[in-house]
Amino acid sequence: MLSWMRLSPLALITLISLACSSGQKTPPAQAQTAPLTNRPAQQTAAAPANNANQQQIAAMQAELAAREARINELEAARAQGANKDSEDPKIAGVASTYDKAKRELTVTLQSDILFAPGSADIRPEAKPSLDKVAAAVKKDYTGKKVRVQGHTDKDPILHSTDKWIDNMDLSQNRAGAVARYLMLKGVDMKSIVTVGFGDTKPKTTKAASRRVEIVVVTD
């Protein structure tokens, strides 16, 4: 039973050294195994968290980009509206004036161009100008009131007394002819009012006094 006591001192020292060294190697091996085993689990848990953060950042960036685009869109619309408000209304290709106080756009067409002397029949060459007025009213001033006003000079009716009682009668019929033409071109008849002023509102010359005014109430 005490056979190990029979070993030589050298053999006994060697046996003790081997026992000590084998006892010290086991714990480090176990200590190293634990971190190696836990590392993949930590990496697997971190990956979904990183993906979620990236998705959240991407969503926030998309939302900011959409808001910035909307802001730019609103600023462009505001600038366009400001430019539009700063310009007086007009009708392309036709001479017109705008009264800001009354908010009225007036197109003046000379009767010598619109009609033959003593006539209320519209000349063919005058129709393109009326076409532009009708197109503008339908496009930009739908539902707005339109007054068609006829005017003459102060010369009394001499050569067409069989047609007209006086200048008031002639001016009314010329205004009516223009109004009917605008309605044929699609302007709502409910928005048109005709007025004959005769020679009550003359201009500086007779030629300027003979006119038809198309007044559009823009407001």
Side-chain angles (χ1 to χ4, degrees):
M1 292 179 61
L2 300 177
S3 58
W4 57 274
M5 298 184 63
R6 300 176 182 177
L7 296 175
S8 63
L10 181 59
L12 183 60
I13 292 172
T14 301
L15 182 61
I16 293 172
S17 299
L18 289 173
C20 291
S21 55
S22 59
Q24 291 175 354
K25 287 180 181 180
T26 301
Q30 293 175 350
Q32 290 177 0
T33 302
L36 290 175
T37 303
N38 294 334
R39 190 176 301 165
Q42 293 174 354
Q43 291 177 350
T44 303
N50 290 336
N51 290 338
N53 291 336
Q54 290 176 356
Q55 291 176 356
Q56 186 176 9
I57 292 172
M60 292 175 64
Q61 289 175 340
E63 183 178 355
L64 289 174
R67 288 185 179 181
E68 185 176 358
R70 179 58 178 164
I71 290 172
N72 293 336
E73 189 177 309
L74 292 174
E75 288 179 348
R78 183 179 63 181
Q80 184 177 3
N83 292 335
K84 185 176 181 181
D85 292 339
S86 64
E87 297 179 357
D88 288 343
K90 58 186 177 181
I91 295 177
V94 181
S96 61
T97 58
Y98 185 67
D99 188 326
K100 290 184 178 180
K102 295 181 178 180
R103 309 291 288 180
E104 292 180 349
L105 174 65
T106 301
V107 176
T108 301
L109 301 170
Q110 298 304 317
S111 292
D112 294 346
I113 297 175
L114 286 171
F115 310 102
S119 172
D121 297 326
I122 298 174
R123 294 177 187 267
E125 56 268 30
K127 292 179 179 180
S129 295
L130 294 176
D131 291 342
K132 293 176 182 178
V133 174
V137 170
K138 289 190 298 181
K139 178 178 180 293
D140 300 323
Y141 306 106
T142 301
K144 303 297 184 181
K145 291 296 182 182
V146 179
R147 295 197 311 271
V148 183
Q149 304 174 164
H151 301 268
T152 67
D153 59 26
K154 288 186 175 296
D155 290 345
I157 301 295
L158 295 176
H159 303 291
S160 56
T161 55
D162 58 328
K163 293 181 180 179
W164 322 116
I165 299 172
D166 52 20
N167 283 329
M168 190 71 69
D169 188 20
L170 174 60
S171 66
Q172 179 66 55
N173 278 274
R174 284 179 169 177
V178 171
R180 283 191 295 273
Y181 187 86
L182 294 178
M183 286 186 284
L184 287 173
K185 291 298 178 177
V187 178
D188 186 2
M189 64 180 296
K190 295 179 181 178
S191 66
I192 299 178
V193 176
T194 60
V195 183
F197 287 101
D199 57 11
T200 61
K201 294 187 176 184
K203 295 290 188 179
T204 55
T205 66
K206 286 184 178 182
S209 298
R210 297 188 296 267
R211 67 198 187 276
V212 173
E213 296 172 339
I214 303 172
V215 182
V216 182
V217 181
T218 61
D219 198 4

